Amino acid sequence: MKVTEQIKQPIAYEMELFEQKFRLSMSSKVALLNRITHYIVNRKGKQMRPMFVFLVAKMIDNGQVSERTYRGASVIELIHTATLVHDDVVDDSNRRRGFFSINALWKNKIAVLIGDFLLSKGLLLSIDNNDFDLLKIISVAVREMSEGELLQIEKARQLDITEDIYYDIIRQKTATLIAACCSLGAASVKPNSDHVEVMRKFGELIGMAFQIKDDLFDYGEEAIGKPTGIDIKEQKMTLPLIHVLNSCSKKEKSWLINSIKNHNKDKKRVKEVINFVKTNNGLDYAIGKMKAYQKEALDLLNTYPDSTYRRSLELMVNYVIDRKK
């Protein structure tokens, strides 16, 4: 059995029901909108985010979920999908999960409007049901994701990212959404309890580990859907590179910065940068940091009694670190 199927086992019923509710939450009176949202729903990914929502809710409330849990999962998926649609426009990307992106099929104007539509659907789903606590969790996540992206763009221009700034960027850009999923799961069944903050922290730790793992793929040999060295070509400063920049000699540092700024399209030079980062312990350092986040997340989980839901969440934490793509 695949790891993702194992993780999903204790929430299989909820995930099936969620799919139906999620489809309904996207419906509109406009035929074109329905055609596009149907296309989106049929090309879904692993659905890790709703899985976090349901597993956390069930772990905290002795296997129970509420209508609020379904709404929380739908809202996070609507808003996450909106950000992906907008990302593809920003990145001028024609593919998403191996399929054509919305902007590739229906052009940028429609893609931006679809993103806006999904965003408003998510907000209204919360407002119409007075889920203002859930709406706040989501809204904070959206604000932080935007700030994280802009901070990364600003720093990429100057190539002056310290390790602390890097953690700020990935916490806002990636970890904040997984943190929102986990705190939503807790808030949906135990609003205003300590669980909401504990689970937010748990999600943030997984998100940090997840992004560092993604950064490591840039140096790997495996086919993972993005070519090796793409972060260097896009002048993205990732942890292995930041660590090496901060620990190498002045001469090596200027060669590295020059390579990234002026020779990032040169395949041979990019390969040299990758090898330099590898031989100077950039990868080992990043792996160490990733495992520290993993351990902290597992330690937090261990404060909860043993259950199939907790075990699934443990599997999820380990899957984030061990995944091949």
Side-chain angles (χ1 to χ4, degrees):
M1 190 191 289
K2 275 184 170 174
V3 182
T4 43
E5 282 166 21
Q6 257 180 291
I7 295 166
K8 218 183 250 194
Q9 252 185 332
I11 50 164
Y13 170 76
E14 284 80 8
M15 288 300 289
E16 219 165 286
L17 191 52
F18 160 74
E19 291 235 347
Q20 296 165 25
K21 289 175 184 282
F22 184 55
R23 278 174 193 269
L24 283 172
S25 71
M26 276 188 166
S27 65
S28 153
K29 292 191 179 87
V30 180
L32 174 62
L33 260 172
N34 285 335
R35 200 155 71 239
I36 297 171
T37 53
H38 180 75
Y39 179 83
I40 290 169
V41 169
N42 287 343
R43 279 148 193 80
K44 60 182 184 298
K46 296 187 193 81
Q47 295 190 299
M48 303 296 267
R49 286 155 197 87
M51 281 157 70
F52 273 122
V53 176
F54 289 115
L55 285 170
V56 167
K58 291 189 94 170
M59 178 182 77
I60 281 168
D61 203 19
N62 302 318
Q64 301 300 307
V65 295
S66 67
E67 272 304 312
R68 269 164 59 85
T69 316
Y70 287 101
R71 288 198 296 270
S74 292
V75 168
I76 204 91
E77 202 64 349
L78 281 164
I79 289 185
H80 174 59
T81 308
T83 60
L84 294 183
V85 173
H86 282 165
D87 277 354
D88 288 339
V89 174
V90 170
D91 298 338
D92 203 13
S93 173
N94 290 324
R95 311 288 284 185
R96 166 70 61 184
R97 296 177 184 137
F99 296 97
F100 283 116
S101 59
I102 302 300
N103 48 304
L105 292 173
W106 285 282
K107 301 291 178 260
N108 283 352
K109 185 176 181 179
I110 287 176
V112 170
L113 292 170
I114 288 289
D116 293 345
F117 169 78
L118 295 173
L119 201 60
S120 66
K121 274 282 189 185
L123 301 177
L124 284 168
L125 184 60
S126 295
I127 292 164
D128 290 345
N129 292 284
N130 294 325
D131 296 331
F132 295 111
D133 56 335
L134 305 188
L135 182 58
K136 185 173 182 184
I137 291 169
I138 301 277
S139 302
V140 167
V142 173
R143 183 198 70 203
E144 293 211 321
M145 283 156 66
S146 311
E147 285 179 350
E149 286 285 357
L150 287 163
L151 180 60
Q152 184 172 45
I153 290 166
E154 178 194 325
K155 293 297 174 185
R157 286 178 181 158
Q158 296 146 13
L159 296 186
D160 64 346
I161 294 188
T162 62
E163 208 172 304
D164 284 344
I165 290 173
Y166 166 80
Y167 293 132
D168 272 349
I169 289 170
I170 69 167
R171 185 185 56 74
Q172 291 183 304
K173 222 184 80 164
T174 305
T176 193
L177 192 65
I178 299 174
C181 295
C182 297
S183 57
L184 269 179
S188 72
V189 288
K190 297 277 184 188
N192 307 316
S193 67
D194 292 344
H195 299 297
V196 180
E197 175 52 27
V198 173
M199 285 294 106
R200 187 203 65 75
K201 184 68 188 160
F202 166 72
E204 188 178 280
L205 291 164
I206 299 176
M208 300 294 276
F210 181 92
Q211 187 56 55
I212 295 172
K213 177 71 175 185
D214 248 23
D215 291 352
L216 288 164
F217 281 139
D218 205 44
Y219 296 88
E221 307 301 325
E222 293 141 354
I224 48 120
K226 77 170 185 180
T228 308
I230 195 88
D231 288 338
I232 294 164
K233 290 184 186 102
E234 291 176 0
Q235 298 191 10
K236 278 184 187 159
M237 302 291 279
T238 58
L239 188 56
L241 183 59
I242 291 164
H243 174 67
V244 170
L245 273 172
N246 291 333
S247 56
C248 64
S249 70
K250 220 173 179 176
K251 192 178 168 191
E252 290 167 330
K253 188 173 181 172
S254 67
W255 173 79
L256 271 174
I257 287 177
N258 181 33
S259 303
I260 296 156
K261 262 193 171 158
N262 305 314
H263 303 280
N264 57 3
K265 302 284 186 281
D266 177 343
K267 281 184 182 170
K268 185 171 169 284
R269 189 74 166 254
V270 168
K271 214 166 187 172
E272 283 170 10
V273 170
I274 288 172
N275 287 333
F276 185 80
V277 171
K278 281 180 177 174
T279 51
N280 285 274
N281 293 327
L283 300 200
D284 293 339
Y285 181 80
I287 288 166
K289 289 289 181 187
M290 174 181 75
K291 289 192 166 162
Y293 282 120
Q294 175 195 26
K295 184 186 180 304
E296 221 183 312
L298 289 171
D299 288 348
L300 262 185
L301 267 189
N302 286 333
T303 61
Y304 286 88
D306 183 38
S307 66
T308 53
Y309 316 112
R310 194 189 89 177
R311 286 198 291 277
S312 267
L313 284 166
E314 284 166 4
L315 268 178
M316 191 89 108
V317 175
N318 295 327
Y319 171 72
V320 159
I321 303 293
D322 301 332
R323 67 200 163 100
K324 296 285 181 274
K325 61 179 181 179

